[in-house]
Amino acid sequence: WLKMAAMDDVQVEGVYDEFRDDFVDDPISRIKQSATKKKGRGFEDRNDGMDTEYESVPTESGPGPLRSVEGWIIAVTGVHEEAQEDDIYDKFAEYGEIKNLHLNLDRRTGYLKGYALIEYETLREAQAAIDDLNNGEILGQKVEVDWAFVKPPAKGKRESRPR
Protein backbone atom coordinates (compact mmCIF):
# COMPACT_ATOMS: atom_id res chain seq x y z
CA TRP A 1 0.00 0.00 0.00
CA LEU A 2 1.02 3.54 -0.66
CA LYS A 3 1.65 5.73 2.38
CA MET A 4 0.84 9.43 2.32
CA ALA A 5 3.60 11.83 3.38
CA ALA A 6 2.99 15.02 5.30
CA MET A 7 3.14 18.23 3.22
CA ASP A 8 6.12 19.52 5.24
CA ASP A 9 8.16 16.44 4.30
CA VAL A 10 7.64 16.83 0.54
CA GLN A 11 10.11 18.98 -1.37
CA VAL A 12 9.11 19.58 -4.98
CA GLU A 13 10.96 22.09 -7.11
CA GLY A 14 9.27 24.11 -9.81
CA VAL A 15 5.93 24.72 -8.09
CA TYR A 16 4.47 27.26 -5.73
CA ASP A 17 5.20 26.31 -2.15
CA GLU A 18 2.29 27.76 -0.17
CA PHE A 19 4.07 27.15 3.13
CA ARG A 20 7.09 29.27 2.14
CA ASP A 21 5.10 31.91 0.14
CA ASP A 22 7.56 32.00 -2.73
CA PHE A 23 7.91 30.63 -6.26
CA VAL A 24 10.51 28.39 -7.72
CA ASP A 25 11.17 29.47 -11.31
CA ASP A 26 9.74 26.75 -13.54
CA PRO A 27 7.82 27.30 -16.80
CA ILE A 28 5.31 24.52 -16.03
CA SER A 29 4.39 26.00 -12.65
CA ARG A 30 3.87 29.44 -14.26
CA ILE A 31 1.53 27.91 -16.86
CA LYS A 32 -0.46 26.07 -14.18
CA GLN A 33 -0.88 29.26 -12.15
CA SER A 34 -2.03 31.33 -15.13
CA ALA A 35 -4.58 28.73 -16.21
CA THR A 36 -8.11 29.19 -14.87
CA LYS A 37 -10.66 26.47 -14.43
CA LYS A 38 -13.55 26.65 -16.90
CA LYS A 39 -16.89 25.05 -16.16
CA GLY A 40 -20.10 24.49 -18.08
CA ARG A 41 -21.00 25.19 -21.66
CA GLY A 42 -18.68 27.65 -23.33
CA PHE A 43 -16.32 29.79 -21.36
CA GLU A 44 -17.85 33.25 -21.51
CA ASP A 45 -18.32 35.16 -18.28
CA ARG A 46 -21.85 34.64 -17.03
CA ASN A 47 -21.71 36.42 -13.66
CA ASP A 48 -21.91 33.04 -11.92
CA GLY A 49 -25.58 32.70 -12.87
CA MET A 50 -26.68 35.78 -10.95
CA ASP A 51 -29.30 38.09 -12.44
CA THR A 52 -30.00 35.65 -15.26
CA GLU A 53 -33.36 35.93 -16.99
CA TYR A 54 -34.78 32.67 -18.31
CA GLU A 55 -37.51 32.33 -20.90
CA SER A 56 -40.77 30.94 -19.60
CA VAL A 57 -44.15 30.09 -20.99
CA PRO A 58 -46.77 32.60 -19.83
CA THR A 59 -49.34 30.96 -17.57
CA GLU A 60 -52.27 32.05 -15.53
CA SER A 61 -51.53 32.39 -11.88
CA GLY A 62 -52.86 29.86 -9.43
CA PRO A 63 -53.77 26.20 -9.67
CA GLY A 64 -56.28 24.92 -12.19
CA PRO A 65 -56.76 22.38 -14.97
CA LEU A 66 -53.84 21.69 -17.25
CA ARG A 67 -54.40 20.93 -20.92
CA SER A 68 -52.82 17.80 -22.34
CA VAL A 69 -51.34 17.69 -25.83
CA GLU A 70 -54.64 16.87 -27.53
CA GLY A 71 -57.36 17.89 -25.08
CA TRP A 72 -58.60 18.05 -21.50
CA ILE A 73 -58.31 14.86 -19.44
CA ILE A 74 -60.51 14.03 -16.48
CA ALA A 75 -60.01 11.20 -14.00
CA VAL A 76 -62.92 9.11 -12.78
CA THR A 77 -62.27 7.16 -9.56
CA GLY A 78 -64.42 4.62 -7.76
CA VAL A 79 -65.52 2.92 -10.98
CA HIS A 80 -67.18 -0.46 -10.38
CA GLU A 81 -64.83 -3.33 -11.21
CA GLU A 82 -67.34 -4.98 -13.53
CA ALA A 83 -68.10 -1.82 -15.52
CA GLN A 84 -67.65 -2.05 -19.26
CA GLU A 85 -66.23 0.55 -21.63
CA ASP A 86 -69.72 1.17 -23.06
CA ASP A 87 -71.12 1.94 -19.57
CA ILE A 88 -68.51 4.66 -19.02
CA TYR A 89 -68.68 5.95 -22.59
CA ASP A 90 -72.47 6.29 -22.60
CA LYS A 91 -72.49 8.17 -19.30
CA PHE A 92 -69.78 10.68 -20.28
CA ALA A 93 -70.66 11.11 -24.00
CA GLU A 94 -73.67 13.21 -22.94
CA TYR A 95 -71.29 16.12 -22.20
CA GLY A 96 -69.35 16.19 -25.46
CA GLU A 97 -67.35 14.14 -27.90
CA ILE A 98 -64.92 11.82 -26.12
CA LYS A 99 -61.55 11.83 -27.88
CA ASN A 100 -60.04 9.06 -25.77
CA LEU A 101 -61.25 6.70 -23.05
CA HIS A 102 -58.72 4.69 -21.06
CA LEU A 103 -59.70 1.89 -18.67
CA ASN A 104 -56.94 -0.03 -16.89
CA LEU A 105 -57.53 -3.70 -16.23
CA ASP A 106 -56.01 -5.77 -13.44
CA ARG A 107 -53.93 -8.47 -15.16
CA ARG A 108 -54.60 -11.05 -12.49
CA THR A 109 -58.39 -10.70 -12.24
CA GLY A 110 -59.29 -9.14 -15.60
CA TYR A 111 -61.50 -6.56 -13.86
CA LEU A 112 -61.15 -2.79 -13.92
CA LYS A 113 -58.68 -1.26 -11.48
CA GLY A 114 -61.31 1.26 -10.39
CA TYR A 115 -60.50 4.34 -12.42
CA ALA A 116 -60.89 5.73 -15.91
CA LEU A 117 -59.24 8.54 -17.85
CA ILE A 118 -61.46 10.42 -20.28
CA GLU A 119 -60.28 13.07 -22.74
CA TYR A 120 -62.50 15.80 -24.17
CA GLU A 121 -61.74 18.25 -26.97
CA THR A 122 -62.78 21.37 -25.06
CA LEU A 123 -62.48 22.68 -21.54
CA ARG A 124 -66.21 23.44 -21.44
CA GLU A 125 -67.17 19.79 -22.15
CA ALA A 126 -64.77 18.43 -19.54
CA GLN A 127 -65.90 20.95 -16.91
CA ALA A 128 -69.57 20.08 -17.56
CA ALA A 129 -68.84 16.37 -17.04
CA ILE A 130 -66.98 17.11 -13.79
CA ASP A 131 -69.73 19.39 -12.48
CA ASP A 132 -72.58 16.96 -13.24
CA LEU A 133 -71.00 13.57 -12.52
CA ASN A 134 -68.73 14.24 -9.51
CA ASN A 135 -70.16 12.28 -6.55
CA GLY A 136 -72.63 10.67 -8.97
CA GLU A 137 -73.32 6.97 -9.54
CA ILE A 138 -72.33 4.54 -12.26
CA LEU A 139 -73.69 0.98 -11.94
CA GLY A 140 -74.86 1.75 -8.41
CA GLN A 141 -71.41 2.81 -7.19
CA LYS A 142 -70.42 6.36 -6.24
CA VAL A 143 -67.74 7.85 -8.50
CA GLU A 144 -65.61 10.96 -8.11
CA VAL A 145 -64.68 13.00 -11.16
CA ASP A 146 -61.91 15.61 -11.26
CA TRP A 147 -59.11 16.92 -13.45
CA ALA A 148 -56.36 14.40 -14.18
CA PHE A 149 -53.70 17.13 -14.48
CA VAL A 150 -53.62 20.42 -12.63
CA LYS A 151 -51.19 23.33 -12.52
CA PRO A 152 -49.20 23.63 -9.33
CA PRO A 153 -49.71 26.73 -7.17
CA ALA A 154 -47.63 29.77 -8.10
CA LYS A 155 -44.13 29.91 -6.62
CA GLY A 156 -43.81 31.90 -3.44
CA LYS A 157 -47.37 31.17 -2.42
CA ARG A 158 -46.70 27.68 -1.08
CA GLU A 159 -48.07 26.89 2.30
CA SER A 160 -45.42 25.94 4.79
CA ARG A 161 -45.81 22.59 6.43
CA PRO A 162 -45.09 22.18 10.11
CA ARG A 163 -41.94 20.25 10.82
Side-chain angles (χ1 to χ4, degrees):
W1 288 94
L2 183 64
K3 292 186 178 181
M4 298 295 289
M7 285 299 287
D8 296 335
D9 297 338
V10 178
Q11 295 293 328
V12 179
E13 291 187 12
V15 295
Y16 174 70
D17 188 352
E18 60 187 336
F19 297 107
R20 294 188 319 190
D21 287 334
D22 64 348
F23 292 95
V24 178
D25 191 25
D26 182 25
I28 294 176
S29 65
R30 280 187 271 137
I31 292 172
K32 285 182 179 179
Q33 285 181 329
S34 66
T36 58
K37 194 168 191 178
K38 305 291 184 182
K39 289 184 174 181
R41 294 183 185 186
F43 299 118
E44 61 271 353
D45 183 23
R46 295 184 185 214
N47 293 331
D48 296 324
M50 303 308 257
D51 301 327
T52 303
E53 290 281 331
Y54 293 101
E55 291 183 35
S56 63
V57 177
T59 60
E60 297 175 8
S61 61
L66 189 61
R67 189 182 198 293
S68 73
V69 175
E70 296 181 9
W72 299 88
I73 300 177
I74 61 174
V76 184
T77 57
V79 178
H80 193 277
E81 65 180 11
E82 293 183 359
Q84 298 292 317
E85 185 174 335
D86 291 341
D87 299 327
I88 306 296
Y89 189 89
D90 292 341
K91 191 77 165 176
F92 284 88
E94 298 173 12
Y95 302 97
E97 181 183 347
I98 295 175
K99 289 184 68 176
N100 193 5
L101 173 63
H102 185 79
L103 298 172
N104 260 1
L105 298 177
D106 187 334
R107 289 181 185 174
R108 188 173 46 89
T109 64
Y111 291 116
L112 288 180
K113 284 194 171 183
Y115 70 91
L117 297 173
I118 302 169
E119 184 173 1
Y120 287 100
E121 179 80 34
T122 67
L123 173 67
R124 189 172 31 97
E125 294 170 343
Q127 187 65 56
I130 290 171
D131 293 342
D132 288 352
L133 295 176
N134 189 28
N135 295 320
E137 283 192 9
I138 298 177
L139 297 178
Q141 189 162 326
K142 179 183 168 190
V143 294
E144 294 183 13
V145 184
D146 203 358
W147 297 106
F149 304 107
V150 293
K151 288 184 266 186
K155 286 187 176 181
K157 295 183 180 181
R158 293 179 73 181
E159 295 179 20
S160 61
R161 295 187 294 185
R163 293 182 180 222

